[in-house]
Amino acid sequence: MIPPGPWPVVSPRKEFDMLEKQFQFSRFLGQLFTWMTEKNYTWVVGDCWRNTDKLACSHCGREHSYQELLVYNKRSKTLKSKHADRLAMDITIFKDGHPQWSGEAYREVGEKWESLTQGLGRWGGRFGLTPDQYEKAVGWDPSHVEL
């Protein structure tokens, strides 16, 4: 259910559906952060929303979006990122004051995300894996959650 307005009249239905998904994603993040606090995790919010505006490159003069630059620099594998829809977030977990980069450091949080979202969300620790690999491996983007 969408909280009371005032909200702009949204049309067509696709835009309304996107807004509802963004509200749901935010609620799931709140639940995840509450759980992480209860489990004494220390974390910071990383990449959440990526602007899709194109900006002129000072070297070549052509316009590129941030997402295009990430793909070009092999920092992302897609031009259709859920970050651009405000439906994804990267979270950096810390232990003893140091950021954790191993995929296993994110397994408990990622699996909690999957259970909270009841199959609606995806954890980046599953990216690049087949279901039979889930128990023994972590995919290529373990700090990422999306709806």
Side-chain angles (χ1 to χ4, degrees), residues 27-60:
R27 288 190 290 267
F28 285 140
L29 283 174
Q31 292 171 14
L32 181 67
F33 292 160
T34 298
W35 176 84
M36 289 174 72
T37 299
E38 291 167 357
K39 298 287 273 180
N40 293 315
Y41 275 95
T42 303
W43 76 94
V44 295
V45 170
D47 209 354
C48 188
W49 177 64
R50 293 184 186 156
N51 191 323
T52 57
D53 293 348
K54 297 206 176 216
L55 301 171
C57 174
S58 61
H59 297 286
C60 69

Short mmCIF file of all heavy atoms in Angstrom, two decimals, residues 27-60:
data_model
loop_
_atom_site.label_atom_id
_atom_site.label_comp_id
_atom_site.label_asym_id
_atom_site.label_seq_id
_atom_site.Cartn_x
_atom_site.Cartn_y
_atom_site.Cartn_z
N ARG A 27 11.20 -0.46 2.02
CA ARG A 27 10.73 -1.16 3.22
C ARG A 27 11.59 -2.40 3.50
O ARG A 27 11.95 -2.65 4.65
CB ARG A 27 9.26 -1.54 3.08
CG ARG A 27 8.32 -0.33 3.18
CD ARG A 27 6.86 -0.76 3.28
NE ARG A 27 6.36 -1.32 2.04
CZ ARG A 27 5.72 -0.64 1.09
NH1 ARG A 27 5.52 0.66 1.24
NH2 ARG A 27 5.29 -1.23 0.00
N PHE A 28 11.90 -3.16 2.47
CA PHE A 28 12.75 -4.33 2.67
C PHE A 28 14.13 -3.93 3.18
O PHE A 28 14.70 -4.61 4.04
CB PHE A 28 12.90 -5.14 1.37
CG PHE A 28 11.70 -5.96 0.99
CD1 PHE A 28 11.30 -6.05 -0.33
CD2 PHE A 28 10.98 -6.68 1.94
CE1 PHE A 28 10.22 -6.83 -0.71
CE2 PHE A 28 9.89 -7.47 1.58
CZ PHE A 28 9.51 -7.54 0.25
N LEU A 29 14.69 -2.84 2.65
CA LEU A 29 15.99 -2.37 3.14
C LEU A 29 15.90 -2.01 4.62
O LEU A 29 16.81 -2.32 5.38
CB LEU A 29 16.47 -1.16 2.33
CG LEU A 29 17.05 -1.44 0.96
CD1 LEU A 29 17.34 -0.13 0.24
CD2 LEU A 29 18.30 -2.31 1.04
N GLY A 30 14.82 -1.34 5.02
CA GLY A 30 14.64 -1.02 6.43
C GLY A 30 14.64 -2.26 7.30
O GLY A 30 15.26 -2.30 8.36
N GLN A 31 13.95 -3.29 6.84
CA GLN A 31 13.91 -4.56 7.59
C GLN A 31 15.29 -5.21 7.64
O GLN A 31 15.70 -5.72 8.68
CB GLN A 31 12.91 -5.52 6.94
CG GLN A 31 11.48 -5.07 7.07
CD GLN A 31 10.54 -5.93 6.23
OE1 GLN A 31 10.88 -6.99 5.75
NE2 GLN A 31 9.31 -5.43 6.05
N LEU A 32 16.01 -5.16 6.51
CA LEU A 32 17.36 -5.74 6.48
C LEU A 32 18.28 -4.98 7.42
O LEU A 32 19.04 -5.60 8.19
CB LEU A 32 17.92 -5.71 5.05
CG LEU A 32 19.32 -6.32 4.90
CD1 LEU A 32 19.29 -7.83 5.15
CD2 LEU A 32 19.88 -6.01 3.51
N PHE A 33 18.23 -3.65 7.40
CA PHE A 33 19.11 -2.86 8.27
C PHE A 33 18.78 -3.07 9.74
O PHE A 33 19.68 -3.09 10.58
CB PHE A 33 19.05 -1.38 7.90
CG PHE A 33 19.65 -1.07 6.54
CD1 PHE A 33 19.31 0.10 5.90
CD2 PHE A 33 20.54 -1.92 5.92
CE1 PHE A 33 19.86 0.42 4.66
CE2 PHE A 33 21.09 -1.62 4.68
CZ PHE A 33 20.75 -0.44 4.05
N THR A 34 17.51 -3.22 10.06
CA THR A 34 17.12 -3.52 11.44
C THR A 34 17.72 -4.85 11.87
O THR A 34 18.30 -4.96 12.96
CB THR A 34 15.58 -3.54 11.58
OG1 THR A 34 15.08 -2.24 11.26
CG2 THR A 34 15.16 -3.94 12.98
N TRP A 35 17.59 -5.87 11.02
CA TRP A 35 18.15 -7.18 11.32
C TRP A 35 19.67 -7.10 11.46
O TRP A 35 20.25 -7.69 12.37
CB TRP A 35 17.75 -8.17 10.21
CG TRP A 35 18.35 -9.51 10.36
CD1 TRP A 35 17.89 -10.55 11.13
CD2 TRP A 35 19.55 -9.99 9.73
NE1 TRP A 35 18.73 -11.63 11.01
CE2 TRP A 35 19.75 -11.31 10.16
CE3 TRP A 35 20.46 -9.41 8.85
CZ2 TRP A 35 20.83 -12.08 9.72
CZ3 TRP A 35 21.54 -10.17 8.41
CH2 TRP A 35 21.72 -11.49 8.85
N MET A 36 20.34 -6.37 10.55
CA MET A 36 21.80 -6.23 10.62
C MET A 36 22.22 -5.55 11.91
O MET A 36 23.23 -5.92 12.52
CB MET A 36 22.32 -5.45 9.40
CG MET A 36 22.24 -6.25 8.11
SD MET A 36 22.71 -5.28 6.64
CE MET A 36 24.49 -5.16 6.87
N THR A 37 21.45 -4.57 12.37
CA THR A 37 21.75 -3.90 13.64
C THR A 37 21.61 -4.89 14.79
O THR A 37 22.48 -4.94 15.68
CB THR A 37 20.81 -2.69 13.84
OG1 THR A 37 21.02 -1.77 12.77
CG2 THR A 37 21.06 -2.01 15.17
N GLU A 38 20.54 -5.66 14.77
CA GLU A 38 20.33 -6.66 15.83
C GLU A 38 21.45 -7.70 15.86
O GLU A 38 21.79 -8.23 16.91
CB GLU A 38 18.98 -7.35 15.64
CG GLU A 38 17.80 -6.44 15.91
CD GLU A 38 16.47 -6.99 15.42
OE1 GLU A 38 16.44 -8.09 14.82
OE2 GLU A 38 15.45 -6.32 15.67
N LYS A 39 22.05 -8.00 14.71
CA LYS A 39 23.13 -8.98 14.60
C LYS A 39 24.51 -8.34 14.78
O LYS A 39 25.53 -8.99 14.60
CB LYS A 39 23.08 -9.69 13.24
CG LYS A 39 21.82 -10.49 13.00
CD LYS A 39 21.77 -11.76 13.79
CE LYS A 39 22.47 -12.85 13.02
NZ LYS A 39 22.48 -14.12 13.71
N ASN A 40 24.52 -7.04 15.13
CA ASN A 40 25.76 -6.29 15.38
C ASN A 40 26.68 -6.16 14.17
O ASN A 40 27.90 -6.09 14.31
CB ASN A 40 26.53 -6.88 16.57
CG ASN A 40 25.77 -6.68 17.86
OD1 ASN A 40 25.26 -5.60 18.12
ND2 ASN A 40 25.68 -7.73 18.65
N TYR A 41 26.09 -6.10 12.99
CA TYR A 41 26.88 -5.81 11.80
C TYR A 41 27.24 -4.33 11.78
O TYR A 41 26.50 -3.49 12.29
CB TYR A 41 26.08 -6.10 10.52
CG TYR A 41 26.13 -7.54 10.08
CD1 TYR A 41 25.14 -8.43 10.46
CD2 TYR A 41 27.16 -8.00 9.27
CE1 TYR A 41 25.17 -9.75 10.05
CE2 TYR A 41 27.21 -9.32 8.85
CZ TYR A 41 26.21 -10.19 9.25
OH TYR A 41 26.25 -11.50 8.84
N THR A 42 28.37 -4.01 11.19
CA THR A 42 28.76 -2.64 10.91
C THR A 42 28.84 -2.54 9.39
O THR A 42 29.48 -3.37 8.75
CB THR A 42 30.13 -2.31 11.54
OG1 THR A 42 30.05 -2.56 12.95
CG2 THR A 42 30.51 -0.86 11.29
N TRP A 43 28.19 -1.53 8.83
CA TRP A 43 28.15 -1.40 7.37
C TRP A 43 27.96 0.04 6.97
O TRP A 43 27.61 0.88 7.79
CB TRP A 43 27.00 -2.25 6.78
CG TRP A 43 25.65 -1.65 6.98
CD1 TRP A 43 24.97 -0.84 6.12
CD2 TRP A 43 24.81 -1.75 8.14
NE1 TRP A 43 23.76 -0.46 6.66
CE2 TRP A 43 23.64 -1.00 7.89
CE3 TRP A 43 24.94 -2.40 9.36
CZ2 TRP A 43 22.62 -0.90 8.82
CZ3 TRP A 43 23.92 -2.30 10.28
CH2 TRP A 43 22.77 -1.55 10.00
N VAL A 44 28.21 0.30 5.70
CA VAL A 44 27.89 1.58 5.09
C VAL A 44 27.13 1.30 3.80
O VAL A 44 27.30 0.26 3.18
CB VAL A 44 29.14 2.45 4.80
CG1 VAL A 44 29.82 2.87 6.09
CG2 VAL A 44 30.10 1.77 3.85
N VAL A 45 26.30 2.26 3.44
CA VAL A 45 25.56 2.18 2.19
C VAL A 45 26.50 2.59 1.07
O VAL A 45 27.19 3.60 1.15
CB VAL A 45 24.33 3.12 2.25
CG1 VAL A 45 23.68 3.24 0.89
CG2 VAL A 45 23.35 2.62 3.29
N GLY A 46 26.53 1.79 0.04
CA GLY A 46 27.35 2.10 -1.13
C GLY A 46 26.48 2.65 -2.24
O GLY A 46 25.57 3.45 -2.01
N ASP A 47 26.71 2.18 -3.42
CA ASP A 47 26.00 2.65 -4.61
C ASP A 47 24.53 2.29 -4.50
O ASP A 47 24.17 1.13 -4.33
CB ASP A 47 26.62 1.99 -5.84
CG ASP A 47 26.51 2.83 -7.09
OD1 ASP A 47 25.86 3.88 -7.04
OD2 ASP A 47 27.09 2.42 -8.11
N CYS A 48 23.67 3.30 -4.59
CA CYS A 48 22.23 3.05 -4.50
C CYS A 48 21.53 3.50 -5.78
O CYS A 48 20.96 2.69 -6.48
CB CYS A 48 21.65 3.75 -3.28
SG CYS A 48 19.94 3.31 -2.97
N TRP A 49 21.60 4.75 -6.09
CA TRP A 49 20.94 5.25 -7.31
C TRP A 49 21.99 5.74 -8.28
O TRP A 49 22.93 6.44 -7.90
CB TRP A 49 19.97 6.38 -6.98
CG TRP A 49 19.35 6.96 -8.21
CD1 TRP A 49 18.52 6.31 -9.09
CD2 TRP A 49 19.51 8.28 -8.72
NE1 TRP A 49 18.16 7.15 -10.11
CE2 TRP A 49 18.75 8.38 -9.91
CE3 TRP A 49 20.22 9.39 -8.30
CZ2 TRP A 49 18.68 9.54 -10.66
CZ3 TRP A 49 20.15 10.54 -9.04
CH2 TRP A 49 19.37 10.60 -10.21
N ARG A 50 21.84 5.35 -9.52
CA ARG A 50 22.75 5.80 -10.57
C ARG A 50 22.01 6.67 -11.55
O ARG A 50 21.04 6.23 -12.18
CB ARG A 50 23.36 4.60 -11.30
CG ARG A 50 24.27 3.81 -10.41
CD ARG A 50 24.95 2.70 -11.17
NE ARG A 50 25.70 1.89 -10.22
CZ ARG A 50 26.03 0.63 -10.45
NH1 ARG A 50 25.72 0.04 -11.59
NH2 ARG A 50 26.71 -0.04 -9.54
N ASN A 51 22.47 7.88 -11.69
CA ASN A 51 21.89 8.82 -12.62
C ASN A 51 22.08 8.31 -14.05
O ASN A 51 23.15 7.82 -14.40
CB ASN A 51 22.58 10.18 -12.44
CG ASN A 51 21.89 11.29 -13.15
OD1 ASN A 51 21.37 11.12 -14.24
ND2 ASN A 51 21.88 12.46 -12.54
N THR A 52 21.06 8.44 -14.86
CA THR A 52 21.14 7.99 -16.25
C THR A 52 21.42 9.14 -17.21
O THR A 52 21.51 8.92 -18.42
CB THR A 52 19.83 7.29 -16.67
OG1 THR A 52 18.74 8.19 -16.47
CG2 THR A 52 19.61 6.03 -15.87
N ASP A 53 21.58 10.36 -16.69
CA ASP A 53 21.90 11.50 -17.55
C ASP A 53 23.23 11.25 -18.25
O ASP A 53 24.16 10.68 -17.68
CB ASP A 53 22.02 12.79 -16.74
CG ASP A 53 20.69 13.24 -16.16
OD1 ASP A 53 19.65 12.69 -16.56
OD2 ASP A 53 20.72 14.12 -15.29
N LYS A 54 23.32 11.74 -19.47
CA LYS A 54 24.57 11.63 -20.22
C LYS A 54 25.35 12.92 -20.04
O LYS A 54 24.80 14.01 -20.10
CB LYS A 54 24.29 11.35 -21.68
CG LYS A 54 23.60 10.02 -21.86
CD LYS A 54 23.85 9.45 -23.21
CE LYS A 54 23.21 8.07 -23.28
NZ LYS A 54 23.99 7.15 -24.05
N LEU A 55 26.64 12.77 -19.80
CA LEU A 55 27.53 13.91 -19.60
C LEU A 55 28.65 13.84 -20.62
O LEU A 55 29.11 12.76 -21.00
CB LEU A 55 28.12 13.87 -18.19
CG LEU A 55 27.09 13.91 -17.05
CD1 LEU A 55 27.78 13.66 -15.73
CD2 LEU A 55 26.36 15.24 -17.05
N ALA A 56 29.11 15.00 -21.06
CA ALA A 56 30.18 15.05 -22.06
C ALA A 56 31.51 14.63 -21.45
O ALA A 56 31.87 15.05 -20.35
CB ALA A 56 30.29 16.45 -22.63
N CYS A 57 32.21 13.79 -22.17
CA CYS A 57 33.54 13.34 -21.77
C CYS A 57 34.56 14.42 -22.13
O CYS A 57 34.57 14.93 -23.26
CB CYS A 57 33.86 12.03 -22.47
SG CYS A 57 35.55 11.46 -22.19
N SER A 58 35.43 14.75 -21.19
CA SER A 58 36.43 15.79 -21.45
C SER A 58 37.52 15.32 -22.41
O SER A 58 38.22 16.13 -22.99
CB SER A 58 37.07 16.24 -20.14
OG SER A 58 37.71 15.15 -19.51
N HIS A 59 37.63 14.01 -22.60
CA HIS A 59 38.67 13.48 -23.50
C HIS A 59 38.19 13.33 -24.94
O HIS A 59 38.89 13.73 -25.86
CB HIS A 59 39.19 12.13 -22.98
CG HIS A 59 39.84 12.24 -21.65
ND1 HIS A 59 41.08 12.80 -21.47
CD2 HIS A 59 39.41 11.88 -20.42
CE1 HIS A 59 41.40 12.77 -20.19
NE2 HIS A 59 40.40 12.22 -19.53
N CYS A 60 36.99 12.75 -25.11
CA CYS A 60 36.53 12.48 -26.49
C CYS A 60 35.42 13.42 -26.94
O CYS A 60 35.11 13.48 -28.12
CB CYS A 60 36.07 11.03 -26.62
SG CYS A 60 34.54 10.64 -25.73
#
